[in-house]
Amino acid sequence: MVAFANAKINIGLQITEKRPDGFHNIASCFYPVGWSDVVEIIPSAEFSFSSSGIDIPGDPAKNLCVKAYELLKADFELPPVAMHLLKIVPIGAGIGGGSSDAAFVLKLLNDTFKLSLSTDALQNYARRLGSDCAFFIENQPQFCFEKGDQFEDISLSLKGKGIVLVYPNLHISTAEAYAGVVPQKTEIDLREALQRPIEEWRHYVKNDFENGLFQKYPVLPQIKAQLYEAGALYASMTGSGSTVFGIFEKVPDLQNIFSPYTVWKGELT
């Protein structure tokens, strides 16, 4: 069984308060994009996990894909599998690559071994792996709140619009990003702001991580400005960085203006 574990962007990200458990409450719109890793699972005599593509730091035994398998194995009699991850989506880029991989492993295991887990059940398993993971179970535009793992439907379709994601080969950890943020209530309701014409979003739809990270890493506001100069209807940093995206009327020809960086472009669905 093979799955293409896609990334996501945050359209707006408000950090509203620090929680007693050390996490933060946020408000954001998560939107899936086509930039994907590839996850393969096949039955095997013994469990194994391997990866290729982008080098993944840390102990492979602690990879979220492995944790996803172990999570289900604790509750179900799963046979051993050989799992391979082709890592294409950059790490520490704010687009949920690792979270998506884990969520798609849960879905693959559920389908392969006919566990008959409901969407709600899969989301609850995913929440135990990471705040972003649960989003990728349904994998459709959602208004996200609390830790980013609670959802409400949102009437937002960007189908047919072009998108460009620019990763400046800069890893920003979640801890580093939050160190520069002061949580605060906002006067702008993100859901209402997203009902405005997309050309007006630049005035109302903000990512709170930009304030601190743009000062620390000048390349980020530079990329954002370049996307607007190239005709973006809206541009923003996504997640806790460092990817910056631009939404266009159609997929643009950027004439290699971002050639030093890692770039993905495609059409939104």
Side-chain angles (χ1 to χ4, degrees), residues 91-109:
I91 298 167
I95 50 180
S99 297
S100 178
D101 296 338
F104 274 85
V105 166
L106 292 176
K107 293 194 284 186
L108 276 177
L109 293 170

Side-chain angles (χ1 to χ4, degrees), residues 61-258:
K62 296 181 179 179
N63 187 278
L64 279 177
C65 293
V66 177
K67 290 184 176 182
Y69 173 82
E70 292 174 341
L71 195 61
L72 289 184
K73 192 175 187 302
D75 290 345
F76 299 92
E77 293 184 3
L78 291 184
V81 299
M83 188 184 305
H84 185 80
L85 170 64
L86 174 57
K87 190 64 183 162
I88 299 169
V89 175
I91 298 167
I95 50 180
S99 297
S100 178
D101 296 338
F104 274 85
V105 166
L106 292 176
K107 293 194 284 186
L108 276 177
L109 293 170
N110 185 49
D111 293 342
T112 301
F113 299 113
K114 297 179 173 53
L115 304 182
S116 300
L117 289 167
S118 66
T119 296
D120 284 347
L122 284 169
Q123 286 178 340
N124 284 331
Y125 278 112
R127 288 183 179 100
R128 293 165 63 183
L129 295 168
S131 297
D132 288 354
C133 290
F135 165 75
F136 293 101
I137 299 299
E138 287 196 288
N139 204 28
Q140 61 188 21
Q142 296 277 359
F143 177 76
C144 305
F145 56 99
E146 293 192 10
K147 293 189 297 182
D149 61 355
Q150 300 296 324
F151 314 114
E152 290 179 358
D153 291 337
I154 186 167
S155 177
L156 176 65
S157 174
L158 298 172
K159 185 176 182 178
K161 293 282 194 292
I163 187 166
V164 176
L165 293 97
V166 183
Y167 173 65
N169 305 320
L170 172 67
H171 181 285
I172 296 176
S173 71
T174 304
E176 178 185 3
Y178 272 104
V181 167
V182 178
Q184 56 185 341
K185 300 290 185 182
T186 177
E187 297 178 359
I188 297 174
D189 185 288
L190 181 59
R191 283 166 291 196
E192 292 180 4
L194 289 171
Q195 299 310 306
R196 293 176 176 268
I198 189 172
E199 295 84 358
E200 296 180 14
W201 285 3
R202 69 175 73 188
H203 305 299
Y204 301 100
V205 181
K206 308 290 185 180
N207 182 329
D208 286 350
F209 285 113
E210 287 188 358
N211 292 333
L213 293 177
F214 275 21
Q215 294 182 38
K216 189 171 184 179
Y217 300 107
V219 65
L220 301 178
Q222 179 185 13
I223 291 171
K224 183 175 179 177
Q226 288 175 302
L227 287 166
Y228 274 127
E229 289 167 7
L233 304 171
Y234 175 73
S236 174
M237 193 177 75
T238 178
S240 55
S242 60
T243 301
V244 182
F245 69 89
I247 299 173
F248 295 77
E249 198 61 55
K250 61 180 182 178
V251 181
D253 178 6
L254 295 175
Q255 299 177 333
N256 298 320
I257 61 174
F258 298 114

Side-chain angles (χ1 to χ4, degrees), residues 12-57:
L13 201 168
Q14 300 170 341
I15 305 161
T16 57
E17 62 182 344
K18 189 164 185 177
R19 299 160 52 97
D21 59 9
F23 289 92
H24 289 77
N25 282 334
I26 68 167
S28 184
C29 173
F30 287 8
Y31 204 104
V33 296
W35 202 357
S36 303
D37 292 335
V38 185
V39 183
E40 181 183 32
I41 294 175
I42 58 174
S44 177
E46 60 182 13
F47 177 84
S48 66
F49 171 78
S50 59
S51 67
S52 57
I54 295 173
D55 184 55
I56 303 173

